[in-house]
Amino acid sequence: LFLQDADALVLDTEQLMEILNHARAAFPTVTRITSYARAKTVSRKSPDELKALRAAGLNRIHIGMESGSNAVLSLVQKGVTQEEQIRSGRHVMAAGIELSEYFMPGLGGRELSGEHAVESAAVLTAVNPTFIRIRSTVPVPGTPLHRMMAEGRWVPLTEEEKVGEIRAFLERLDGITSTVQSDHIMNLLEDVAGKLPGDKQRMLEPIDRFLNMHPPDREAFIVGRRIGRYRHVSDYAPAPDVEMIRRDLIDRFGTLDQGILEILANHI
């Protein structure tokens, strides 16, 4: 059972406990009750309040961390600091509630890419959430981020650069037992998934396989993935129609990267 499509923890703790207790009574077969939340919201709940919510049935929370870098958080006006993200995440885990934290490759743009990867990994290493979910950044027309891009104040990463950023991020996740999932269509490499620490090398393998491709093959995989031909790097095989689309995108948009941005924006 999912508590709406928003941050249910904005409610007063007693009111939310009443809702949880009612839900469990009305649906006795429910085994998981989940909510989205913001780190800022969670940080306003005391550890005892979070434990009370867990006892009432709330056993999973999703938090859109997006970045652990204060510079990136400020850039996108996230309204939360690195320290608040660490504190709130630790409190959720200490309360016995499963925690999914979301990391957005590319959010810092080219200028802040390195810091974005390093500081995000630092936050998640400090929290050790149950799940780390990858959600790649796509600037959507009409949003502030897209306007920043149009004005040249934010330079997006290419698909290849996002993959490199994910690699730098994963390499720095040390000493934790989180399950990493890349379960979203906006992610280029859906097969970067596994449980730390044992599966780290297995998660790096498809990344390295992609990065070590001959450049035209790498571009063809990107196009094929974005039109639904390939799901995993291991699915790749040269295809005339994919090559035709690759050449057409370059002709129409000047670069493949610009063409892929158009495909992603329209897909969303």
Side-chain angles (χ1 to χ4, degrees):
L1 187 153
F2 212 109
L3 299 179
Q4 295 292 342
D5 194 20
D7 181 359
L9 272 75
V10 297
L11 294 173
D12 176 79
T13 299
E14 291 297 326
Q15 183 183 7
L16 184 52
M17 287 175 61
E18 183 180 357
I19 292 169
L20 292 166
N21 288 326
H22 177 75
R24 290 171 61 202
F27 304 103
T29 59
V30 167
T31 57
R32 179 187 302 142
I33 301 179
T34 307
S35 176
Y36 285 122
R38 289 175 60 87
K40 180 75 77 173
T41 307
V42 172
S43 68
R44 296 189 182 115
K45 301 286 187 188
S46 70
D48 286 343
E49 285 180 294
L50 291 171
K51 290 176 182 177
L53 291 172
R54 174 64 184 89
L58 182 64
N59 47 14
R60 182 176 292 181
I61 289 175
H62 293 267
I63 293 180
M65 180 195 78
E66 300 177 6
S67 178
S69 159
N70 281 326
V72 177
L73 294 170
S74 176
L75 175 74
V76 299
Q77 301 179 34
K78 182 67 177 175
V80 68
T81 66
Q82 181 189 83
E83 190 276 332
E84 287 173 320
Q85 288 178 330
I86 293 173
R87 184 173 68 249
S88 62
R90 284 176 167 174
H91 285 176
V92 170
M93 293 297 292
I97 300 173
E98 291 185 342
L99 175 62
S100 287
E101 292 271 16
Y102 291 77
F103 166 63
M104 291 185 68
L107 187 62
R110 191 162 292 159
E111 181 180 354
L112 296 172
S113 177
E115 178 177 338
H116 177 49
V118 171
E119 295 301 308
S120 296
V123 168
L124 295 173
T125 297
V127 173
N128 191 16
T130 316
F131 300 99
I132 296 171
R133 300 181 188 273
I134 298 172
R135 296 290 186 271
S136 296
T137 303
V138 177
V140 179
T143 62
L145 190 63
H146 193 274
R147 288 194 292 273
M148 289 170 61
M149 180 181 70
E151 295 166 1
R153 295 184 291 120
W154 181 85
V155 179
L157 298 188
T158 65
E159 295 277 69
E160 183 178 341
E161 288 170 336
K162 286 181 190 175
V163 171
E165 188 177 273
I166 292 170
R167 195 187 200 291
F169 166 76
L170 287 174
E171 282 185 321
R172 289 166 173 80
L173 294 176
D174 291 322
I176 60 175
T177 56
S178 306
T179 295
V180 178
Q181 296 184 326
S182 185
D183 51 347
H184 197 274
I185 191 64
M186 288 297 100
N187 298 334
L188 182 68
L189 304 184
E190 194 175 344
D191 37 352
V192 179
K195 184 173 175 57
L196 295 169
D199 292 340
K200 180 185 283 191
Q201 188 56 43
R202 184 168 66 82
M203 287 188 278
L204 293 175
E205 285 173 2
I207 292 176
D208 291 338
R209 182 172 181 176
F210 169 78
L211 293 175
N212 290 327
M213 280 180 168
H214 189 53
D217 288 325
R218 199 160 53 229
E219 289 186 351
F221 172 77
I222 292 170
V223 172
R225 166 66 173 161
R226 293 315 182 194
I227 65 171
R229 171 61 65 87
Y230 313 121
R231 184 175 181 184
H232 303 123
V233 178
S234 58
D235 297 335
Y236 175 71
D241 57 336
V242 172
E243 176 60 19
M244 181 182 69
I245 294 171
R246 183 182 79 87
R247 293 178 181 273
D248 181 61
L249 287 171
I250 294 172
D251 289 342
R252 290 173 59 193
F253 296 101
T255 66
L256 182 66
D257 296 326
Q258 188 59 42
I260 293 298
L261 277 176
E262 293 293 329
I263 288 176
L264 292 177
N266 289 323
H267 187 91
I268 291 176

